[in-house]
């Protein structure tokens, strides 16, 4: 899934893009023109299952192999997703039909699976594995025809056609295991318009498969590797008995059909979501809620503040007004530096780095430049952007650290460059060891890990240092009031000012705004679906930024009114409150939607979820913190302090 952390995005400008989800193609992803009988290469990507979350290489199972196995060079995103693209022995020629061909048959003998191989195949079938192939960079899909709920006597029932990515390896029935050993490929081509004297060229626009299970006795093979499929429905499926050797044929047929679909729209089938209305409904709902709340909050805060400021700025009756409201009372302490200023500024620096990376990735993806046709592009772009955004993260962290009276800038820069990435790398390394143990292709190879470490210490770290140096040298943020030397006493706080209660209260609104989109992102990551509604995601991101800012301003206002001036850390923690709800939702999704029972898949799920929650907390906490900081500076600048 482009989604394994493939997620974040945007805008009304590209209204049509959201509805159509069709992308324009970036230079470099050029169409390939085929002539009649040109070979169309079928490659294998991997085997996946939403039950185990562990991808495997195609040849980890005893499929027929070509004389020479060659792996395609891959980008970083593909490696991290577990793709291992390899050639296969299928011989497919453009616009040339094949009734039935036998794969890897030597002098017409069937393939014999050893007991060990049979047990492995049976295990993969019971674990619900799907096989992913590609032809001309288009993934194979299985057509599912669902009848919409109409009256039973309605003869012309409308079919709702959906596509499943890949094809099922096999199926189980009454405790018996059957393998799909015959593949009927259906390829659709678009005939390109040519001059009269030129030969027609064709482009592949869809790749479907109908997997079948046909037992050895019912497949009649001859010396020329061609075979005859059984007539009608009188054949039995090919059973795999995991306790003994099994004999079978691997066969395939090829059928070509002409299509009106243009090459540029060929991905629409895979990306069209049947539930675009749900997205629109959730977006409109979120926008209405956010605007309604902003109206109320702005009214309350502006009116209350105006009254407060007017009262504070009156020359007379100062004694009376001091009793009324409390936020002016803490003016001498509100900008007192918090505990651990280095860690706070480092986390906020990483938050800025994440924010910039997410903003750019979503925007570029929304413009269609990270189309699924360029595999792994989303993840590769996100990794590189995070590295290069280190300069902005370092700059903001350095300037804030200087404002908080910090003086060890080198240590602060190192902390910013290593704290969050170090946690991410550590968790991923531990999970990777478990995936290695399972021999899954999802394990990041050692050279890739070394390359990532080199990127971290060779690109990200120097850029963070560079940004931190300039940020630390720049004038610190200008605080409108002076800090007293002796901290004032904080009165006893009410129960609802408790930090955890604050997190629960502040998290609900931003989470509500992005809840629907979160469901689709989780489906893309864990259930092997494409996610391509980046227009919606961009809007959701904007709503998230607005709602986080509003909530954090309200929370900091209440806290200062309660005469508690220790708002720095508290505001950062409380603004990230929606991450707590994301965690709760992830647990709910695991229990209700996923069929994961084994230990390692569960560990992977919760390990990656912990990383998502941590990143989300940093992101929302940073947005909320900066909104509240600007608000606090604004209100104290408006008050006359004696």
């Amino acid at each position: 899934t482009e989604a394994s952390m493939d997620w974040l995005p945007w805008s009304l400008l590209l209204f049509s893009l959201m509805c159509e989800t069709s992308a324009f193609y970036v230079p470099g992803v050029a169409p390939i023109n085929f002539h009649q009988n040109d070979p169309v290469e079928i490659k294998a990507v991997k085997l996946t299952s939403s039950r185990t979350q562990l991808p495997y290489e195609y040849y980890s199972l005893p499929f027929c192999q070509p004389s020479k196995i060659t792996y395609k060079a891959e980008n970083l995103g593909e490696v991290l997703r577990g793709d291992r693209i390899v050639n296969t022995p299928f011989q497919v020629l453009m616009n040339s039909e094949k009734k039935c061909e036998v794969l890897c048959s030597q002098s017409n003998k069937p393939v014999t699976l050893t007991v060990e191989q049979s047990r492995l195949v049976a295990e993969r079938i019971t674990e619900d594995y799907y096989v992913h192939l590609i032809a001309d960079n288009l993934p194979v899909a299985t057509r599912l025809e669902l009848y919409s709920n109409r009256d039973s006597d309605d003869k012309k029932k409308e079919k709702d056609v959906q596509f499943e990515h890949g094809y099922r390896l096999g199926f189980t029935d009454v405790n018996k295991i059957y393998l799909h050993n015959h593949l009927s490929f259906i390829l659709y081509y678009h005939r390109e318009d040519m001059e009269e004297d030129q030969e027609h060229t064709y482009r592949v626009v869809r790749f479907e498969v109908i997997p079948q299970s046909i037992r050895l006795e019912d497949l009649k093979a001859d010396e020329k590797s061609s075979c005859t499929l059984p007539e009608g429905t009188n054949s039995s499926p090919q059973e795999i008995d995991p306790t003994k050797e099994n004999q079978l044929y691997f066969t395939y047929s090829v059928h070509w059909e002409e299509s009106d679909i243009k090459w540029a729209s060929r991905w629409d089938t895979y990306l069209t979501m049947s539930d675009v209305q749900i997205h629109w409904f959730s977006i409109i709902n979120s926008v209405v809620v956010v605007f309604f709340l902003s109206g109320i909050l702005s009214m309350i805060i502006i009116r209350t503040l105006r009254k407060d400021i007017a009262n504070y700025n009156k020359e007379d009756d100062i004694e009376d007004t001091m009793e009324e409201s409390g936020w002016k009372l803490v003016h001498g302490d509100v900008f007192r530096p918090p505990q651990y200023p280095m860690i706070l500024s480092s986390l906020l620096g990483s938050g800025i780095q994440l924010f910039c990376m997410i903003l750019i990735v979503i925007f570029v993806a929304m413009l269609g430049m990270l189309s699924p046709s360029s595999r792994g592009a989303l993840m590769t772009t996100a990794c590189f952007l995070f590295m290069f955004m280190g300069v902005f993260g370092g700059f903001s962290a350095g300037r804030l650290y200087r404002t908080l009276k910090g003086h060890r800038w080198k240590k602060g820069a190192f902390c910013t460059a290593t704290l969050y990435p170090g946690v991410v790398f550590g968790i991923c390394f531990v999970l990777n060891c478990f995936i290695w143990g399972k021999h899954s292709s999802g394990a990041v190879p050692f050279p890739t890990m070394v390359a990532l470490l080199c990127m971290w210490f060779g690109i990200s770290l120097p850029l963070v240092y560079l940004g931190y140096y300039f940020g630390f040298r720049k004038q610190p943020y200008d605080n409108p009031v002076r800090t007293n030397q002796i901290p004032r006493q904080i009165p006893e706080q009410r129960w609802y000012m408790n930090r955890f209660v604050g997190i629960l209260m502040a998290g609900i609104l931003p989470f509500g705004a992005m809840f629907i989109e979160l469901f689709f992102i989780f489906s893309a990551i864990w259930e092997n679906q494409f996610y391509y509604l980046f227009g919606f995601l961009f809007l959701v991101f904007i709503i998230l930024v607005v709602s986080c800012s509003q909530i954090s301003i309200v929370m900091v206002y209440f806290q200062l009114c309660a005469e508690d001036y220790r708002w720095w850390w508290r505001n950062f923690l409380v603004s990230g409150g929606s991450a707590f709800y994301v965690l709760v939702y992830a647990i709910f999704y695991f229990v209700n939607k996923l069929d994961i029972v084994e230990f390692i898949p569960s560990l992977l799920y919760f390990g990656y979820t912990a990383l998502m929650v941590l990143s989300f907390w940093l992101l929302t906490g940073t947005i909320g913190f900066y909104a509240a900081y600007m608000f606090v500076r604004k209100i104290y600048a408006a008050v006359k302090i004696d």
Side-chain angles (χ1 to χ4, degrees):
T1 39
E2 189 79 273
S4 242
M5 325 322 261
D6 321 322
W7 62 303
L8 310 133
W10 334 357
S11 170
L12 282 164
L13 281 163
L14 292 135
F15 190 70
S16 59
L17 183 85
M18 293 180 223
C19 304
E20 297 297 324
T21 68
S22 58
F24 60 78
Y25 280 74
V26 186
V29 188
I32 298 175
N33 293 324
F34 295 92
H35 292 97
Q36 179 76 33
N37 291 335
D38 276 359
V40 177
E41 202 175 356
I42 306 274
K43 292 181 177 175
V45 184
K46 59 183 171 184
L47 310 167
T48 64
S49 160
S50 58
R51 285 187 64 181
T52 69
Q53 301 298 338
L54 291 166
Y56 285 97
E57 282 190 43
Y58 181 70
Y59 291 124
S60 64
L61 289 183
F63 290 119
C64 296
Q65 299 186 359
S67 50
K68 186 184 178 204
I69 293 178
T70 51
Y71 284 90
K72 173 185 161 286
E74 292 173 312
N75 62 36
L76 178 65
E78 287 175 310
V79 174
L80 295 178
R81 282 173 44 189
D83 293 2
R84 300 291 181 269
I85 298 173
V86 66
N87 59 335
T88 61
F90 297 107
Q91 303 287 324
V92 177
L93 303 177
M94 172 53 78
N95 207 8
S96 166
E97 304 269 322
K98 280 191 178 179
K99 285 276 183 285
C100 179
E101 288 276 328
V102 180
L103 279 172
C104 64
S105 142
Q106 285 147 2
S107 67
N108 188 14
K109 283 186 188 152
V111 177
T112 304
L113 302 183
T114 62
V115 180
E116 184 77 14
Q117 288 173 328
S118 302
R119 195 166 62 241
L120 185 64
V121 169
E123 189 183 315
R124 293 282 179 267
I125 293 172
T126 52
E127 287 173 341
D128 220 7
Y129 267 84
Y130 281 75
V131 183
H132 296 273
L133 304 174
I134 49 174
D136 187 29
N137 202 31
L138 265 187
V140 75
T142 311
R143 179 191 288 259
L144 301 176
E145 293 186 342
L146 310 168
Y147 288 98
S148 48
N149 296 329
R150 297 287 166 97
D151 297 328
S152 51
D153 56 309
D154 185 1
K155 286 177 186 171
K156 291 184 179 176
K157 277 190 170 181
E158 282 195 31
K159 285 183 190 171
D160 182 17
V161 177
Q162 289 187 345
F163 289 92
E164 204 169 42
H165 305 301
Y167 70 87
R168 278 177 187 272
L169 181 61
F171 60 96
T172 54
D173 186 25
V174 200
N175 295 333
K176 289 191 174 181
I177 297 165
Y178 301 100
L179 173 71
H180 284 142
N181 59 327
H182 177 81
L183 300 178
S184 302
F185 293 129
I186 306 167
L187 290 106
Y188 293 76
Y189 64 85
H190 182 76
R191 194 194 296 260
E192 295 301 306
D193 299 326
M194 283 289 167
E195 305 294 322
E196 281 180 27
D197 55 340
Q198 283 185 305
E199 191 188 344
H200 274 293
T201 62
Y202 307 92
R203 290 176 180 175
V204 180
V205 291
R206 191 189 290 173
F207 181 25
E208 285 181 28
V209 67
I210 300 170
Q212 288 166 279
S213 183
I214 305 169
R215 69 174 179 177
L216 179 70
E217 291 76 13
D218 294 340
L219 276 167
K220 298 176 182 62
D222 62 20
E223 295 298 326
K224 294 177 181 171
S225 288
S226 57
C227 51
T228 313
L229 292 172
E231 296 291 318
T233 55
N234 56 3
S235 73
S236 303
Q238 172 65 55
E239 189 189 341
I240 298 290
D241 187 339
T243 58
K244 61 178 190 193
E245 288 190 351
N246 289 271
Q247 289 197 317
L248 67 143
Y249 283 121
F250 283 108
T251 57
Y252 69 104
S253 58
V254 182
H255 173 60
W256 288 90
E257 282 189 30
E258 188 161 3
S259 168
D260 296 332
I261 299 170
K262 291 268 199 312
W263 187 86
S265 320
R266 66 182 194 158
W267 274 84
D268 290 7
T269 315
Y270 302 89
L271 304 177
T272 303
M273 294 234 179
S274 53
D275 30 34
V276 168
Q277 285 135 328
I278 296 176
H279 288 266
W280 276 119
F281 177 73
S282 82
I283 292 280
I284 292 164
N285 183 35
S286 303
V287 169
V288 169
V289 168
V290 166
F291 277 115
F292 176 67
L293 272 160
S294 353
I296 292 177
L297 297 181
S298 313
M299 241 165 53
I300 293 172
I301 290 233
I302 290 170
R303 285 182 65 178
T304 316
L305 275 175
R306 274 204 176 141
K307 202 170 106 190
D308 285 355
I309 290 166
N311 281 345
Y312 287 148
N313 289 345
K314 272 184 193 165
E315 294 302 324
D316 48 357
D317 301 337
I318 287 212
E319 274 66 35
D320 303 338
T321 56
M322 280 299 195
E323 301 303 313
E324 275 180 42
S325 175
W327 61 266
K328 186 185 174 186
L329 299 180
V330 292
H331 70 83
D333 297 275
V334 72
F335 294 110
R336 185 179 301 285
Q339 282 184 301
Y340 315 115
M342 187 185 290
I343 296 174
L344 179 65
S345 57
S346 299
L347 291 173
L348 288 163
S350 295
I352 293 284
Q353 207 172 336
L354 268 176
F355 179 79
C356 296
M357 180 265 280
I358 286 166
L359 194 70
I360 297 171
V361 165
I362 296 173
F363 190 71
V364 172
M366 186 184 72
L367 298 177
M369 292 184 193
L370 297 178
S371 140
S373 63
S374 32
R375 293 169 176 283
L378 190 78
M379 210 176 234
T380 310
T381 310
C383 284
F384 277 98
L385 270 174
F386 184 77
M387 301 288 174
F388 288 112
M389 292 300 118
V391 69
F392 296 109
F395 182 84
S396 52
R399 191 165 183 204
L400 185 68
Y401 184 54
R402 171 101 191 257
T403 308
L404 299 179
K405 309 281 193 289
H407 47 270
R408 293 176 298 175
W409 74 270
K410 288 178 187 166
K411 197 174 174 187
F414 184 75
C415 188
T416 306
T418 54
L419 190 61
Y420 168 70
V423 171
V424 173
F425 193 83
I427 292 176
C428 289
F429 183 77
V430 171
L431 294 177
N432 209 43
C433 292
F434 284 100
I435 306 174
W436 261 330
K438 282 282 193 179
H439 306 292
S440 162
S441 68
V444 179
F446 191 70
T448 309
M449 249 184 183
V450 173
L452 282 170
L453 273 173
C454 291
M455 278 168 66
W456 177 16
F457 287 108
I459 300 172
S460 185
L461 191 100
L463 284 175
V464 170
Y465 262 90
L466 183 73
Y468 211 94
Y469 173 73
F470 285 108
F472 192 75
R473 285 187 60 187
K474 197 170 168 59
Q475 198 65 28
Y477 292 113
D478 181 32
N479 292 333
V481 287
R482 281 203 306 274
T483 303
N484 295 340
Q485 287 194 330
I486 300 164
R488 72 179 271 131
Q489 204 170 352
I490 297 167
E492 198 177 330
Q493 298 294 305
R494 298 282 177 87
W495 65 270
Y496 54 79
M497 294 306 292
N498 180 293
R499 191 172 290 178
F500 189 68
V501 175
I503 286 174
L504 291 180
M505 280 161 52
I508 197 86
L509 175 67
F511 176 75
M514 52 164 278
F515 163 70
I516 298 284
E517 226 48 37
L518 196 67
F519 169 75
F520 288 105
I521 289 165
F522 267 71
S523 303
I525 296 173
W526 301 113
E527 297 190 53
N528 205 43
Q529 296 170 10
F530 283 108
Y531 182 87
Y532 200 59
L533 294 177
F534 289 107
F536 286 115
L537 202 45
F538 182 71
L539 279 179
V540 168
F541 188 68
I542 298 295
I543 293 169
L544 183 69
V545 171
V546 173
S547 52
C548 278
S549 308
Q550 291 171 349
I551 284 290
S552 75
I553 288 172
V554 173
M555 299 304 276
V556 82
Y557 177 72
F558 284 146
Q559 187 181 348
L560 294 176
C561 284
E563 297 176 30
D564 182 357
Y565 53 81
R566 298 168 304 183
W567 63 275
W568 304 86
W569 271 106
R570 181 191 159 96
N571 188 261
F572 179 53
L573 293 169
V574 167
S575 302
S578 43
F580 171 75
Y581 287 98
V582 172
L583 178 64
V584 171
Y585 177 73
I587 296 167
F588 166 81
Y589 189 87
F590 179 82
V591 172
N592 280 333
K593 297 282 181 191
L594 295 179
D595 190 15
I596 296 177
V597 283
E598 292 176 38
F599 169 69
I600 289 181
S602 307
L603 183 74
L604 288 182
Y605 179 84
F606 285 107
Y608 288 130
T609 298
L611 286 182
M612 281 168 63
V613 169
L614 172 69
S615 306
F616 192 70
W617 170 66
L618 270 185
L619 176 73
T620 48
T622 303
I623 294 166
F625 176 86
Y626 277 103
Y629 190 35
M630 280 154 56
F631 168 76
V632 171
R633 283 169 54 201
K634 241 323 160 269
I635 63 171
Y636 282 99
V639 175
K640 288 183 197 161
I641 304 288
D642 300 330

